[in-house]
Amino acid sequence: MKFTQVRNATIILNYNGKKILFDPWLAKKGSLRSITSPDEKKNAIKNPTANLPISINEIVKDIDACIITHIHIDHVDEDSMKNINKDTKVFVQNIEECLQIKEFGFNNIEVLSENGLLFDNITLYKINGQHGETPETAEGMSCGVILKSDNEPTTYVCGDTIWYGEVKKAINEHNPNVIVLNACDARLMDTGRLIMNLDDIKKVRETSLDSKIIISHMEAVNHAFINRCDVREFVENNCLDNIYIPNDGESYDFK
């Protein structure tokens, strides 16, 4: 399995012979509105806050499937979807978002299942996320995905979620070899934290001692409250091992 960090939650997994693109957010730097956070200075910065590290053509070339964990402004947008072949297999979290993706012109869409579904010789499991500090303040529905194959490491892309019971349950039941965390501590003005923070990274590490943990969704949105340097310092101070903090455009091969 080859993991490539593109930008924000946009990643590519080359998994069992398939090129799978997650959350294609390919907008030009600064072309989208800011997201209102508790920090007024951050609110003056437009999104995305970083350039794409590679060309859009390279990102979308020869993709076999696209997985959209949820439809939010920093995970997918209409202009990005124009760059993807409309015959591409697309997986979404529910019927409502299936209908939204159909409006972009895609014709091969499937809803993920908690019981698992097959994509050729890869099994995909939907894992529910909590996109906020409490169910009441969660910013809509979101999901993660576990990929399993006989020839590859079991991989859990957690999506936009905080650490909570369903994440712990998924780790204990599926025992993933690789876990991808969205962990920039993004926050909204009125409802607080949306995704994982430093403490959540530590909880994942303590729950899954042997897995490799990749930190994603970093340094690309204006409402983020930690960066890669913060994570590196925290990892070092807490003696946490097997944690990868990729720069945009960086790849890892896992056997």
Side-chain angles (χ1 to χ4, degrees):
M1 187 267 283
K2 180 180 179 180
F3 167 95
T4 300
Q5 175 67 49
V6 179
R7 182 185 63 187
N8 204 49
T10 306
I11 63 172
I12 296 169
L13 295 187
N14 293 91
Y15 195 90
N16 213 1
K18 300 296 182 184
K19 180 180 178 180
I20 304 174
L21 175 65
F22 282 75
D23 290 339
W25 192 46
L26 310 177
K28 184 179 178 181
K29 178 182 177 181
S31 63
L32 302 174
R33 67 173 177 85
S34 62
I35 298 172
T36 305
S37 79
D39 186 327
E40 290 186 4
K41 291 182 179 180
K42 293 180 182 294
N43 297 341
I45 304 170
K46 291 188 176 181
N47 289 304
T49 64
N51 289 310
L52 287 171
I54 53 179
S55 71
I56 291 175
N57 286 340
E58 186 176 351
I59 294 167
V60 303
K61 181 181 178 182
D62 298 328
I63 63 171
D64 297 292
C66 180
I67 296 178
I68 298 173
T69 61
H70 66 301
I71 298 178
H72 269 178
I73 184 177
D74 61 333
H75 285 252
V76 65
D77 64 277
E78 185 174 359
D79 287 342
S80 297
M81 298 301 278
K82 290 178 181 177
N83 292 284
I84 300 173
N85 187 304
K86 297 304 178 289
D87 294 326
T88 302
K89 182 75 174 183
V90 180
F91 296 96
V92 296
Q93 66 170 333
N94 54 38
I95 290 294
E96 291 76 15
E97 295 194 359
C98 176
L99 296 175
Q100 289 179 267
I101 296 301
K102 279 186 178 180
E103 293 179 0
F104 294 144
F106 290 87
N107 52 54
N108 188 8
I109 309 167
E110 191 166 356
V111 176
L112 294 161
S113 169
E114 296 170 29
N115 296 320
L117 57 83
L118 281 174
F119 172 54
D120 285 356
N121 54 358
I122 303 168
T123 305
L124 304 172
Y125 295 89
K126 173 187 171 183
I127 307 297
N128 291 319
Q130 182 175 299
H131 199 359
E133 292 183 310
T134 69
E136 293 74 25
T137 60
E139 190 67 14
M141 299 182 68
S142 66
C143 79
V145 180
I146 287 179
L147 301 87
K148 286 188 177 182
S149 173
D150 290 341
N151 304 314
E152 295 282 16
T154 296
T155 300
Y156 179 14
V157 179
C158 291
D160 275 12
T161 184
I162 64 161
W163 170 261
Y164 83 125
E166 289 299 309
V167 174
K168 182 176 182 179
K169 178 182 177 183
I171 291 173
N172 288 334
E173 288 185 356
H174 294 277
N175 193 27
N177 306 105
V178 178
I179 303 175
V180 182
L181 302 182
N182 292 352
C184 71
D185 191 9
R187 305 178 197 175
L188 292 183
M189 172 68 80
D190 297 323
T191 55
R193 184 164 61 93
L194 297 172
I195 59 177
M196 293 196 181
N197 61 12
L198 297 173
D199 288 337
D200 288 348
I201 294 172
K202 186 177 181 182
K203 289 173 183 174
V204 174
R205 170 78 291 156
E206 291 170 346
T207 302
S208 187
L209 296 176
D210 297 325
S211 63
K212 296 175 173 62
I213 296 175
I214 302 172
I215 308 302
S216 186
H217 203 310
M218 299 298 295
E219 299 181 10
V221 292
N222 75 288
H223 60 314
F225 276 74
I226 58 175
N227 58 33
R228 292 182 175 101
C229 288
D230 297 326
V231 178
R232 292 188 186 100
E233 182 179 359
F234 182 81
V235 166
E236 182 177 348
N237 289 343
N238 287 272
C239 300
L240 306 179
D241 61 355
N242 276 333
I243 293 184
Y244 299 73
I245 310 165
N247 293 314
D248 291 349
E250 192 169 359
S251 296
Y252 305 121
D253 287 302
F254 297 108
K255 304 297 182 183

